[in-house]
Amino acid sequence: MSDILLQLNNVTKSFADGNGTQTVLDDISLAVKAGEFVAIVGPSGSGKSTLLSIAGLLLSPDSGDVIIGGNTMLNSKSNIRTAFRRKHIGFIFQTHQLLPYLKTKDQLLLFQDKEYNDSVTANDLLEDLGILECANKYPANMSGGERQRVAIARAFINDPDIILADEPTASLDATRGRYVVELIRNQTKKRGKAALMVTHDERVLDLTDRVLHLTDGKLRSM
Amino acid sequence: MKFALRELLYGKKKYILIELLLVLLMFMVLFLCGLVEGLGRAVTSAIDNRVADYYILSDSAEKLITVSELPDGIINEVREKTNSEVTTLDIQRMYLQKQGEERKLNVIYFAIDANSFLAPSVIEGKTLEYSDKDNPIVLDDDFMAEDIHVGDIIIDSASGFEFNVVGFAKDEMYGHVSVGFITRDSYTQIRTRLNPQYGTTIHALAFKGKPDDLDMDGKELVKKQDIIDNIPSYRAEHLTITMIIYVLVIVSAIVIGVFYYIMTIQKRRQFGVMKAVGFGMGKLSAIVVSEVSLLSVFAAVVANIFTFAMSAVIPQKMPFHLLPADAVSVSAGFVLISIVSSLISIIHISRVDPIQAIGGNDE
Ligand SMILES: Nc1ncnc2c1ncn2[C@@H]1O[C@H](COP(=O)(O)OP(=O)(O)O)[C@@H](O)[C@H]1O
Ligand SMILES: [Mg+2]
């Protein structure tokens, strides 16, 4: 049995623009194994977010396959894909995107799908991420770094197959940003996820296992 | 429900204003309900309170007791043919004055058989049947506010006939006029004094239960509710205020729907993120419906408490009578329409594309 949790096969995506179409992703293939932490870098507008959206089943490619934990979901209905995302994909966004009206523990408990998985507990995650003391705080009462750590906890709470992070350090200073990426790395390793992170931040690339460059619609290893 | 409660509590400052507005609107609705029922009661209570189920009127009367005319002997004829309890009823508008006073008071006589099922129970004094006075009269309790008491003598203005006030009954009105219950005997005497040629006719027969095959030639059998609906002015008043009530209920529910819709538009991005991380439309709709239900139920409950508290201290003469059943149905209608109006928010959310969660360039 293969331990590849995220696989993109020959993915192509174009957008219509003013004069014709622009091919943002041109026949891209990618595989990420359990416990592997992969970074994607590239100039602004090169298609990094588009790639992440396709991997996260938020956007359908023009052609190609997306396989997550052995499942191909591209042909499923949107509500089935939505339910699939909750269980199999953990998202970390540029800004925390927590619900302002929930305390930290509720951000996790109300999102956790207990029927599907109860092996990961909110408490363990909060402890791992060093934010146990934030359990009863609202996002408004936490620092930017703490909020992003809660967002990481949320991404892991349903024990997903893959973690997708879109510039998770964009709203943080260098030290906090690096710490957050370290935490993503540690959890990815500890819990055996396949993690894909888009970033501008050259200084955190040493924490990843592999760095891929996206330019002109092609992915190149460095 | 957990999401809904937490979100509403977290944003309570935001929601308290809209709740205030909704409470006021619902209060207005409930107040009107009490008024429509109260005014309605001022028109119909004396018929409403009677335990009669059916009436026989002359068929030219068009279901209006006061213009019906039946021959005197009919009661005996009918008694022979039916097993139902039957009695006579005459309704006559007149004026009364207290002995020694000039002031004339409106009254509607209900002339009845003192020991029949039409006789009212009293909240003070004695009933017609158990009073030992001659020419007894039991008055609607509104006459108490006119400084009339049990034991007083009051005079029928037109005939000079003297009544002994023996008791008061609660809420007995007909066509906005307070009722005085008198015996058939007093009634015949008054009519004879006013018109020596008065040949005894009666207005109506009242039945407990439905009478079986009677010869209805020249007569009409009328249900109690039809009698009520045909009392002059009842229909028109009732319909007008009832329509205003429904319009207000719908307006209140739309206020909640529009307010919630504006909040939803402001939370577009939040819904996009929720969809991205895996909350389906089922869950999101449930959150919306729970929040709107909580907002509307809360407003309805507070408005009900206010209205019922107020109805307890309202002056006796004010025609206000809020039936719990009416309050419940209006409140339930408000909550239901509110929930329906939240549909526009749900439709809006269903169109939010979760992809906007990624990229975040528009922050
Ligand atoms: N929905 C869309 N419609 C048209 N063009 C799009 C759309 N989404 C992205 N693009 C274009 O695709 C390119 C890549 O966008 P994106 O993936 O956001 O880049 P990056 O995240 O690397 O900055 C950009 O030129 C952008 O204008
Ligand atoms: Mg981007």
Side-chain angles (χ1 to χ4, degrees), chain A residues 106-120:
Chain A
D106 287 334
Q107 303 277 358
L108 304 183
L109 293 178
L110 296 189
F111 179 52
Q112 188 171 25
D113 189 338
K114 288 228 172 61
E115 282 160 40
Y116 170 69
N117 143 63
D118 56 6
S119 61
V120 178

Side-chain angles (χ1 to χ4, degrees), chain A residues 49-50 52-53 58-59 82-83 85-86 89 91 93-95 97 99-102 106 110-111 138 140 154 166, chain B residues 2-3 6-7 10 269-270 273-280 283 287 291 353-355 357-361 363:
Chain A
S49 296
T50 303
L52 215 61
S53 304
L58 297 171
L59 187 66
T82 301
R85 284 200 295 275
R86 182 163 173 193
I89 305 175
F91 284 101
F93 306 105
Q94 268 186 33
T95 48
Q97 302 295 1
L99 294 171
Y101 52 86
L102 294 184
D106 287 334
L110 296 189
F111 179 52
Y138 290 105
R154 178 175 67 180
D166 187 26
Chain B
K2 284 181 182 162
F3 279 89
R6 284 168 172 75
E7 180 164 22
Y10 185 79
R269 178 161 186 108
Q270 190 175 306
V273 170
M274 289 178 91
K275 281 178 155 186
V277 300
F279 287 103
K283 178 72 189 171
I287 293 175
E291 288 188 354
D353 191 340
I355 196 169
I358 295 268
N361 308 318
E363 268 266 298

Side-chain angles (χ1 to χ4, degrees), chain A residues 9-194:
Chain A
N9 292 336
N10 310 101
V11 165
T12 297
K13 182 75 185 175
S14 323
F15 290 113
D17 63 6
N19 36 11
T21 61
Q22 169 199 12
T23 301
V24 177
L25 303 177
D26 184 7
D27 195 27
I28 280 181
S29 295
L30 164 70
V32 186
K33 287 182 295 192
E36 191 180 21
F37 188 21
V38 177
I40 294 182
V41 294
S44 184
S46 59
K48 303 183 298 294
S49 296
T50 303
L51 179 64
L52 215 61
S53 304
I54 289 174
L57 303 176
L58 297 171
L59 187 66
S60 295
D62 299 336
S63 63
D65 273 340
V66 179
I67 303 161
I68 297 166
N71 306 285
T72 343
M73 303 301 293
L74 285 178
N75 296 320
S76 306
K77 285 207 199 116
S78 120
N79 59 333
I80 298 196
R81 268 185 283 144
T82 301
F84 183 87
R85 284 200 295 275
R86 182 163 173 193
K87 294 171 180 163
H88 298 275
I89 305 175
F91 284 101
I92 302 165
F93 306 105
Q94 268 186 33
T95 48
H96 57 91
Q97 302 295 1
L98 299 171
L99 294 171
Y101 52 86
L102 294 184
K103 291 175 181 169
T104 295
K105 60 171 199 280
D106 287 334
Q107 303 277 358
L108 304 183
L109 293 178
L110 296 189
F111 179 52
Q112 188 171 25
D113 189 338
K114 288 228 172 61
E115 282 160 40
Y116 170 69
N117 143 63
D118 56 6
S119 61
V120 178
T121 69
N123 232 47
D124 287 350
L125 276 171
L126 293 181
E127 201 169 345
D128 282 1
L129 296 168
I131 43 173
L132 208 47
E133 74 279 11
C134 294
N136 282 310
K137 286 186 186 171
Y138 290 105
N141 302 327
M142 293 186 274
S143 71
E146 284 168 339
R147 281 178 227 160
Q148 199 58 310
R149 281 187 266 164
V150 177
I152 294 170
R154 178 175 67 180
F156 281 92
I157 190 74
N158 281 322
D159 201 19
D161 295 313
I162 67 172
I163 297 291
L164 300 175
D166 187 26
E167 305 195 22
T169 62
S171 60
L172 304 174
D173 63 40
T175 331
R176 292 210 179 91
R178 186 173 175 84
Y179 184 46
V180 158
V181 176
E182 266 171 25
L183 290 172
I184 296 176
R185 174 193 167 84
N186 294 346
Q187 292 303 308
T188 299
K189 300 289 173 198
K190 174 176 174 182
R191 301 176 193 276
K193 309 302 173 201

Side-chain angles (χ1 to χ4, degrees), chain B residues 241-313:
Chain B
I241 312 187
T242 307
M243 247 175 63
I244 297 176
I245 290 173
Y246 280 115
V247 169
L248 273 175
V249 167
I250 292 172
V251 167
S252 321
I254 289 176
V255 165
I256 221 180
V258 168
F259 165 81
Y260 196 85
Y261 180 62
I262 293 169
M263 307 274 288
T264 302
I265 293 175
Q266 290 173 344
K267 292 190 298 185
R268 242 190 114 81
R269 178 161 186 108
Q270 190 175 306
F271 286 117
V273 170
M274 289 178 91
K275 281 178 155 186
V277 300
F279 287 103
M281 269 320 286
K283 178 72 189 171
L284 296 179
S285 307
I287 293 175
V288 168
V289 168
S290 313
E291 288 188 354
V292 172
S293 308
L294 283 171
L295 287 172
S296 58
V297 166
F298 183 77
V301 166
V302 172
N304 269 283
I305 292 173
F306 272 175
T307 318
F308 278 102
M310 194 205 60
S311 77
V313 297

Side-chain angles (χ1 to χ4, degrees), chain B residues 91-349:
Chain B
I91 299 181
Q92 181 71 45
R93 179 157 185 179
M94 286 292 193
Y95 294 97
L96 283 176
Q97 53 205 111
K98 217 175 145 184
Q99 197 177 35
E101 280 182 21
E102 283 298 301
R103 195 164 48 111
K104 290 182 175 175
L105 303 170
N106 276 308
V107 70
I108 290 242
Y109 293 136
F110 268 45
I112 57 174
D113 190 348
N115 47 21
S116 74
F117 57 88
L118 290 184
S121 49
V122 292
I123 53 168
E124 199 186 315
K126 292 209 160 96
T127 60
L128 290 179
E129 187 178 10
Y130 291 106
S131 121
D132 47 10
K133 293 277 198 335
D134 289 334
N135 307 331
I137 185 167
V138 167
L139 292 170
D140 170 47
D141 55 352
D142 278 3
F143 282 105
M144 284 180 176
E146 304 289 348
D147 200 29
I148 291 173
H149 308 280
V150 171
D152 285 357
I153 291 180
I154 52 172
I155 299 161
D156 176 76
S157 302
S159 65
F161 188 85
E162 290 188 359
F163 287 109
N164 284 301
V165 178
V166 299
F168 287 97
K170 187 163 177 53
D171 287 342
E172 297 284 4
M173 297 188 81
Y174 181 92
H176 294 295
V177 181
S178 292
V179 168
F181 292 89
I182 61 177
T183 61
R184 231 184 117 57
D185 180 50
S186 302
Y187 178 71
T188 312
Q189 287 189 48
I190 291 174
R191 295 299 301 252
T192 316
R193 279 199 202 179
L194 293 176
N195 174 11
Q197 268 91 52
Y198 173 65
T200 351
T201 59
I202 55 173
H203 282 138
L205 294 181
F207 293 87
K208 241 184 180 175
K210 187 170 184 175
D212 27 45
D213 10 280
L214 289 169
D215 164 26
M216 295 308 285
D217 191 26
K219 305 185 274 301
E220 191 181 5
L221 185 66
V222 187
K223 261 195 286 194
K224 176 178 183 172
Q225 191 57 47
D226 286 342
I227 296 280
I228 289 174
D229 288 344
N230 284 283
I231 298 174
S233 85
Y234 177 70
R235 264 265 158 83
E237 285 173 9
H238 204 80
L239 269 180
T240 319
I241 312 187
T242 307
M243 247 175 63
I244 297 176
I245 290 173
Y246 280 115
V247 169
L248 273 175
V249 167
I250 292 172
V251 167
S252 321
I254 289 176
V255 165
I256 221 180
V258 168
F259 165 81
Y260 196 85
Y261 180 62
I262 293 169
M263 307 274 288
T264 302
I265 293 175
Q266 290 173 344
K267 292 190 298 185
R268 242 190 114 81
R269 178 161 186 108
Q270 190 175 306
F271 286 117
V273 170
M274 289 178 91
K275 281 178 155 186
V277 300
F279 287 103
M281 269 320 286
K283 178 72 189 171
L284 296 179
S285 307
I287 293 175
V288 168
V289 168
S290 313
E291 288 188 354
V292 172
S293 308
L294 283 171
L295 287 172
S296 58
V297 166
F298 183 77
V301 166
V302 172
N304 269 283
I305 292 173
F306 272 175
T307 318
F308 278 102
M310 194 205 60
S311 77
V313 297
I314 217 164
Q316 151 81 19
K317 283 226 79 166
M318 191 153 173
F320 186 90
H321 189 89
L322 183 55
L323 296 175
D326 284 354
V328 166
S329 71
V330 164
S331 306
F334 165 69
V335 171
L336 279 181
I337 304 174
S338 301
I339 290 173
V340 171
S341 77
S342 74
L343 216 67
I344 45 168
S345 298
I346 293 178
I347 291 171
H348 182 83
I349 296 169

